[in-house]
Amino acid sequence: MAFDFDLIVIGAGSGGVRASRISAGHGARVAVIEESRPGGTCVIRGCVPKKLLMYGSAFSADAADAAGYGWQVSVDGHDWPALIAAKDAELDRLEGIYRSLLKNAGVELIEGRGVVTGPNSVNVGDRELTAERILVATGGWPQIPDVPGLAKHAITSNEALDLAERPDSVLVYGAGYIAVEFASIFNGFGIETHLVYRADLPLRGFDQDIRSQCAEALAGRGIILHPGCTVERVEGENGRKAVTLSDGTVLAVSEIMAATGRVPNTAGLGLETAGVKLGRKGEVMVDAGSQSSVPSIYAVGDVTDRIALTPVAIAEGHALADTLYGGRPRQVSHDNVPSAVFTQPPIASVGMSEEQAAEAFDEITVYTSKFNAMKNALSGRTEKTFMKLIVETASDRVVGAHMLGPDAGEIMQGIGVAVVAGATKADFDATIGIHPTAAEEFVTMRTPRG
Ligand code: NDP
């Protein structure tokens, strides 16, 4: 049977664009369908705009630190609309780049909503397209818990990046990546920021020490933490939101942001009709080769609910394209994926938490270091940098590395290479430090924690 395309990709985000371009480069006839803007979550409403706002919000702390170095600087009078406009212009530029990348690769971009109508067919508007294979790369979307008034009054990360005016107070609900990052952004812009979360510490799943250091650091920066609390009710009053917490506190804020997790974007996509098995959260269930229960339908990225990180989606998309069209079958390892949380100060880690390592191995050795970064000596900032290495005692292999402190994300990328390569603690010890840096602490920790 002749198909219109070899591959139809639904979703022009990080994973979909990479899979499309590489497949086309290998000679496949590819179409990518996008209902919003090419670039997807990361470029349009995630990593990129978030990090631009994070850079913007960091200047207040930089200015405060500068005083200790003799500078008389102030960062009053922030022009919020100017920042949002500059950010939007950058996103337009990046969207343009994504469009040309697709065009130059020979991928046909079809704008509209794609709905799967069978193992080899997709409907877009009034067009019915056929392909030998379909790749679902539709990402995820914020979910809002069923709490009276919350969905009506809350913004999510989508809207938080586009606020027309700087709010004077924000309550962020949740304590995952998105919640703590946005709380840091708001706080850095001088906005009164409340972080409300049901657990005792932020960042469930992270190393316990990192979680407690994170709470300490966020509070130290001025974020008002409400651990062990849920939002019970939200009411609108005179343009403000009255938020009732489970401990009885009522907070009046200008914005409430729900950062309570994301769900895979499969609603109304027609996948069940085509026989594709979905999981509990609606995720496309795939095997290690990203193939769904229907052999001609594949999925990569957040929609599979494996690891919801851009570089993972890109790696999955690239591996799939090489496997299907490049004669180079391969799978992506989901072990030892480094990641960073762009709080202020940032957090980064690779490998196992102490808790996971204690479960996995008979014996582990843990090294920690908590110190005052040299820059603080003159700035007067009291915030501590924290680092941790987890070693499997029998093999001496470093199985986890964690950091909270300036440049954590930049530092962890290199440590990630070492951990992926299976470096031992002896290898770390044999590496000469770069002095004076904070990073050198990773190669100078000698005394195990008692
Ligand atoms: P997360 O799963 O990381 O966090 C969700 C948060 O919402 C948790 O604190 C969770 O609480 C809370 N929560 C969930 N359901 C409820 C509920 N019903 N009531 C109250 N609280 C609730 O999701 P995010 O949306 O923050 O991020 C999604 C993913 O996106 C991340 O896991 C990450 O993979 C990726 N991401 C990565 C970034 C980076 O690399 N820097 C940045 C942003 C996102 P609890 O812990 O108690 O379950």
Side-chain angles (χ1 to χ4, degrees):
M1 175 179 173
F3 296 107
D4 299 329
F5 295 96
D6 295 319
L7 177 69
I8 289 180
V9 178
I10 309 181
S14 300
V17 167
R18 178 60 66 96
S20 308
R21 288 172 48 213
I22 303 300
S23 298
H26 288 318
R29 294 169 306 135
V30 184
V32 60
I33 302 172
E34 173 57 54
E35 67 175 330
S36 176
R37 298 170 66 184
T41 300
C42 179
V43 176
I44 305 297
R45 48 186 173 269
C47 327
V48 172
K50 176 272 310 281
K51 195 146 187 206
L52 293 174
L53 293 198
M54 191 282 287
Y55 281 132
S57 77
F59 286 102
S60 56
D62 290 346
D65 289 350
Y69 286 85
W71 290 103
Q72 292 170 18
V73 282
S74 112
V75 286
D76 296 336
H78 182 258
D79 185 345
W80 180 271
L83 170 67
I84 299 299
K87 180 264 299 175
D88 287 344
E90 174 60 6
L91 299 194
D92 289 346
R93 189 184 73 85
L94 292 175
E95 181 187 335
I97 289 176
Y98 268 74
R99 285 179 183 274
S100 358
L101 282 173
L102 289 170
K103 192 164 171 227
N104 297 342
V107 175
E108 185 177 336
L109 172 64
I110 300 172
E111 303 197 44
R113 179 166 174 81
V115 176
V116 175
T117 51
N120 301 97
S121 55
V122 180
N123 176 276
V124 197
D126 53 10
R127 291 172 76 183
E128 187 78 9
L129 305 170
T130 59
E132 187 186 10
R133 296 185 177 105
I134 296 167
L135 172 62
V136 181
T138 48
W141 200 251
Q143 67 163 0
I144 300 183
D146 189 13
V147 169
L150 187 59
K152 178 168 177 224
H153 294 290
I155 56 169
T156 67
S157 55
N158 292 341
E159 297 77 30
L161 292 159
D162 284 326
L163 293 173
E165 285 172 25
R166 190 182 75 142
D168 60 31
S169 52
V170 178
L171 183 153
V172 179
Y173 190 25
Y177 278 77
I178 295 180
V180 294
E181 289 184 343
F182 275 83
S184 285
I185 289 171
F186 292 132
N187 181 60
F189 281 115
I191 297 164
E192 177 188 309
T193 306
H194 297 265
L195 187 67
V196 176
Y197 49 99
R198 60 187 179 184
D200 57 338
L201 289 169
L203 292 176
R204 190 192 297 279
F206 277 70
D207 185 275
Q208 198 69 9
D209 280 340
I210 287 289
R211 297 179 70 195
S212 49
Q213 296 302 321
C214 171
E216 202 175 286
L218 295 183
R221 291 276 178 133
I223 297 174
I224 305 156
L225 305 183
H226 301 266
C229 276
T230 52
V231 169
E232 299 288 282
R233 193 166 64 249
V234 187
E235 286 149 321
E237 49 177 42
N238 308 325
R240 294 178 74 77
K241 278 102 196 176
V243 187
T244 307
L245 306 185
S246 52
D247 66 358
T249 310
V250 181
L251 296 166
V253 289
S254 19
E255 295 289 354
I256 172 165
M257 173 179 168
T260 40
R262 295 172 65 84
V263 283
N265 247 338
T266 51
L269 210 56
L271 290 168
E272 298 98 318
T273 333
V276 174
K277 266 203 201 119
L278 301 183
R280 200 175 48 83
K281 289 168 74 179
E283 72 273 20
V284 181
M285 315 259 293
V286 288
D287 64 14
S290 297
Q291 192 172 32
S292 79
S293 56
V294 174
S296 58
I297 301 184
Y298 297 77
V300 296
D302 292 7
V303 77
T304 64
D305 198 32
R306 287 180 280 187
I307 298 180
L309 295 173
T310 296
V312 173
I314 290 174
E316 290 167 355
H318 201 134
L320 183 67
D322 283 350
T323 302
L324 298 179
Y325 304 108
R328 212 157 62 86
R330 62 196 180 86
Q331 294 177 354
V332 173
S333 166
H334 291 87
D335 294 333
N336 292 324
V337 172
S339 77
V341 188
F342 295 101
T343 36
Q344 292 166 20
I347 292 166
S349 58
V350 60
M352 296 180 179
S353 65
E354 180 178 345
E355 295 71 36
Q356 288 168 330
E359 279 271 303
F361 303 112
D362 290 339
E363 201 185 329
I364 56 170
T365 311
V366 176
Y367 298 82
T368 61
S369 177
K370 190 171 175 178
F371 57 95
N372 211 18
M374 188 194 274
K375 190 177 172 192
N376 294 352
L378 299 196
S379 72
R381 187 173 289 283
T382 52
E383 188 172 271
K384 299 284 189 218
T385 290
F386 177 78
M387 290 179 177
K388 181 167 183 176
L389 283 178
I390 297 146
V391 178
E392 187 208 0
T393 313
S395 64
D396 195 40
R397 216 160 43 88
V398 175
V399 294
H402 308 272
M403 174 175 176
L404 175 144
D407 305 318
E410 307 294 340
I411 292 168
M412 197 57 66
Q413 187 68 78
I415 302 288
V417 176
V419 172
V420 168
T424 59
K425 181 64 169 61
D427 293 324
F428 275 63
D429 293 346
T431 305
I432 306 286
I434 301 173
H435 187 73
T437 63
E440 67 180 312
E441 200 70 19
F442 269 126
V443 296
T444 54
M445 287 191 255
R446 292 286 184 271
T447 315
R449 192 189 59 195

